[in-house]
Amino acid sequence: MRRTITAIAAVTVMTLPLIGAGPSAQSDRNGTGSTGHGRVVTGTYSTGAAQAWQPLPTVRTGADPGGAVDATVVADPSALRQKYTGIGFSLDETSVSNLWKLTPAERAAAIRLLVDPKHGAGLDRFRLTIGSPDLIEHLPFWSEDDLPAGVTEDFGLKHFSVQRDIDLHIIDTIKLIQRYNPHATFFASAWSAPAWMKTNNRFLGEVALKPGSSTDYYQVGKLRDDCIEVFARYYVKFVQAYARHGIRVDALTLLNEPGMDVVYPAMDISIAQQQKLALAIKREMRAARLDTQLYVHDFNFWDWHDPNSTATKNYYRIFQDAPDGSVTGAQVRKAADAIAFHPYWGDPSVMRDAFEEFGKPVQLTETSDLSPSTVLDDFRLDAGSYILWAQSTDQDGGTLHWTPARDNNIDWNQVAATTKWKDRLVTVDTETKKFTVRDELYGLGQFAKYLSPGDVRLESSATEHGVSNVVFRTRDGGYVTVLGNGNATDSKVRVVVGGQSFVTTVPAGSYATYRWQGRA
């Protein structure tokens, strides 16, 4: 894990007064206009809950007194990189279940602190799960098309239903998010197709040792070739079902971590199947008059491409022509709207390589790293989004149904009793009905409160003397820069963008965000 700027701490949040009502990009683009000489530069900073989204002294461009500074940030307005898509977290069943252990007032306060762009952190992008992911609280694992007894297939998807999503309060949680952040966006991932679409007729993962190995496994359950089209329609049905509840799912990932050798819900889809599935999804979406985007890969950096490894899946090959001539790489590249990554194995610079080689947006769709410094680093590597995985548990870190074990006959009740994930972004105390959040939330808000989808990152200078940076051009012609001061003392920083410059002091150990308008 990369070095963090702020210490990890938990902060008890009582029934709010909410902290730091700094203006947000979504709610207020004013206050950065030009009066007198130069443009007004407004700023806020956070070191954690103790200093959260606090205003900084206003400065002006063109009022640079010259002289020595601790660091200089230079950005080129003509060197455009990726568009910002959002920062947020997954609405997995475990996280939602814990939020619903709070009183209604506390639950609303928690959601508001997380997502409100004016009074909270402004988190604005959320991952939905299509059926059970690898983290649930209530057994059994489930798909959106489980069959009644005596029924073996459902190519007409007559048994498709999102009733479980309703019963588990996933839809209700989304509605709360929409109340406090109407600009919130949502994308969705499946961990597996329904059991009847798979070669082993099993929704859960099933593993076996690779021939000749005593340590390496592979995923037994594969998508049936004759179910590629119906699996694509399954995705369409999910998007349509959520739309009927007033929720727009603007993107799907092809499949979460395809081929992962685990016994929680998982499935293998070969490169040939990925190619055909990508084309089928876009074809079915067009037929349904949906403009839902498609993210391919949705797996680790290493699994996309590692020229130094023979074990990587090298899923970048989906953009190559199929050996049998059935699908061209150009067709798949046209169908793919973005490439999605997870950070658990491999070199994050793969994101920049993929962005530059294929010209596709890059999205970080799952991570457990809460550090704002990693957000900044990954944005500098062209990630358009940063989505945290499974960020709400109770005071004991449970109840979960996740395991690294490779045991097809595992006792899931024992897993729930022993698997604990403590110290996530939000901790719910089931005895007091109160919640706490970690200090990193406030640093995350230094990005999410002030950026909007469509803002474009500019290439900018590297970290200097402990001060890191990321710079965006906003849709209305202004600029947003986030500076991270990893030093134990305040740092004097000069910011130069397109001939405009200003000097500011970034508080020690903080993240600070500055906004101003560009030249007329």
Side-chain angles (χ1 to χ4, degrees):
M1 183 177 293
R2 284 169 249 186
R3 178 177 57 86
T4 60
I5 286 180
T6 55
I8 295 173
V11 179
T12 302
V13 182
M14 301 301 179
T15 303
L16 299 177
L18 286 165
I19 306 170
S24 69
Q26 293 99 326
S27 64
D28 181 14
R29 288 288 196 186
N30 298 318
T32 55
S34 175
T35 57
H37 299 289
R39 299 283 181 169
V40 175
V41 181
T42 60
T44 67
Y45 77 100
S46 295
T47 58
Q51 296 290 334
W53 312 313
Q54 293 300 301
L56 288 162
T58 297
V59 296
R60 289 183 181 274
T61 63
D64 186 341
V69 293
D70 299 305
T72 299
V73 174
V74 180
D76 182 356
S78 67
L80 304 180
R81 301 300 299 185
Q82 82 276 21
K83 290 184 178 180
Y84 173 81
T85 305
I87 297 175
F89 52 88
S90 62
L91 296 176
D92 55 280
E93 191 247 305
T94 289
S95 294
V96 169
S97 177
N98 280 293
L99 290 171
W100 282 80
K101 294 171 186 174
L102 297 167
T103 65
E106 277 291 287
R107 182 165 54 250
I111 295 294
R112 191 181 186 195
L113 177 61
L114 292 166
V115 310
D116 189 316
K118 187 173 183 180
H119 299 288
L123 303 181
D124 56 358
R125 183 116 177 113
F126 303 92
R127 189 185 194 194
L128 311 178
T129 70
I130 304 175
S132 284
D134 57 338
L135 208 67
I136 64 170
E137 179 159 356
H138 304 100
L139 292 171
F141 292 95
W142 48 280
S143 80
E144 310 286 8
D145 198 301
D146 291 335
L147 304 182
V151 179
T152 59
E153 293 180 339
D154 184 23
F155 279 84
L157 299 176
K158 296 179 181 178
H159 297 285
F160 182 95
S161 173
V162 295
Q163 187 59 48
R164 190 73 182 263
D165 305 56
I166 297 169
D167 295 341
L168 292 170
H169 300 296
I170 295 170
I171 300 290
D172 292 331
T173 304
I174 295 170
K175 293 295 186 183
L176 266 178
I177 290 171
Q178 290 176 320
R179 178 193 302 176
Y180 292 114
N181 190 345
H183 300 280
T185 60
F186 304 88
F187 71 101
S189 305
W191 270 240
S192 173
W196 58 270
M197 295 187 194
K198 297 170 67 176
T199 55
N200 61 343
N201 196 32
R202 177 172 174 163
F203 182 66
L204 286 175
E206 181 180 358
V207 298
L209 283 168
K210 293 179 179 178
S213 176
S214 61
T215 57
D216 294 335
Y217 292 82
Y218 69 94
Q219 183 58 237
V220 173
K222 304 178 185 299
L223 181 64
R224 287 168 44 178
D225 285 333
D226 64 341
C227 287
I228 290 174
E229 299 289 337
V230 70
F231 191 36
R233 294 197 297 275
Y234 174 84
Y235 281 153
V236 171
K237 293 274 281 188
F238 180 86
V239 173
Q240 292 172 324
Y242 268 64
R244 286 192 287 272
H245 289 278
I247 302 160
R248 181 173 185 265
V249 178
D250 65 35
L252 298 167
T253 72
L254 195 64
L255 185 75
N256 176 75
E257 299 185 345
M260 186 71 166
D261 56 337
V262 291
V263 297
Y264 50 72
M267 184 174 71
D268 188 32
I269 45 176
S270 67
I271 288 174
Q273 287 181 323
Q274 289 182 47
Q275 291 177 317
K276 293 174 182 176
L277 180 60
L279 300 186
I281 290 170
K282 293 311 287 272
R283 184 167 57 249
E284 293 294 337
M285 289 294 174
R286 286 194 299 270
R289 300 180 182 273
L290 295 169
D291 62 355
T292 310
Q293 291 194 337
L294 176 64
Y295 299 170
V296 299
H297 190 52
D298 204 25
F299 210 173
N300 291 303
F301 304 137
W302 179 77
D303 294 288
W304 179 251
H305 190 201
D306 186 342
N308 299 314
S309 173
T310 58
T312 174
K313 296 178 183 297
N314 279 325
Y315 280 153
Y316 77 94
R317 293 177 291 163
I318 64 170
F319 288 156
Q320 296 178 347
D321 295 348
D324 64 0
S326 60
V327 178
T328 68
Q331 288 176 305
V332 182
R333 288 193 296 273
K334 183 178 180 181
D337 297 292
I339 305 169
F341 286 100
H342 300 177
Y344 307 117
W345 292 283
D347 185 343
S349 66
V350 167
M351 291 189 291
R352 168 160 285 195
D353 295 341
F355 177 75
E356 293 181 342
E357 180 176 1
F358 299 108
K360 297 291 180 182
V362 168
Q363 309 294 347
L364 194 73
T365 49
E366 179 181 319
T367 179
S368 293
D369 189 342
L370 291 166
S371 171
S373 68
T374 309
V375 179
L376 191 150
D377 289 347
D378 287 347
F379 280 176
R380 289 181 61 88
L381 289 172
D382 297 310
S385 58
Y386 194 92
I387 309 302
L388 296 163
W389 171 242
Q391 288 302 315
S392 176
T393 57
D394 64 23
Q395 67 271 19
D396 298 319
T399 302
L400 314 176
H401 291 91
W402 178 89
T403 178
R406 303 299 190 263
D407 179 358
N408 294 320
N409 298 308
I410 199 159
D411 182 340
W412 288 105
N413 290 317
Q414 179 65 17
V415 168
T418 57
T419 303
K420 306 295 180 183
W421 285 10
K422 298 186 73 171
D423 299 323
R424 310 302 276 183
L425 183 63
V426 180
T427 298
V428 171
D429 189 317
T430 58
E431 297 178 358
T432 65
K433 306 298 182 183
K434 300 291 185 181
F435 69 94
T436 59
V437 298
R438 283 175 50 149
D439 265 3
E440 289 93 335
L441 174 67
Y442 304 97
L444 296 173
Q446 292 296 152
F447 298 86
K449 285 170 71 70
Y450 306 107
L451 291 169
S452 293
D455 293 350
V456 181
R457 187 177 71 85
L458 307 180
E459 197 71 77
S460 59
S461 52
T463 298
E464 182 181 5
H465 297 148
V467 177
S468 54
N469 74 85
V470 66
V471 182
F472 285 84
R473 180 72 183 260
T474 66
R475 294 173 301 172
D476 60 5
Y479 295 102
V480 174
T481 185
V482 182
L483 305 181
N485 182 8
N487 300 306
T489 57
D490 295 353
S491 292
K492 190 175 182 181
V493 181
R494 174 175 289 113
V495 178
V496 183
V497 182
Q500 296 179 309
S501 69
F502 61 90
V503 174
T504 185
T505 298
V506 183
S510 75
Y511 287 88
T513 307
Y514 299 88
R515 297 184 301 144
W516 70 100
Q517 282 296 321
R519 294 185 184 277

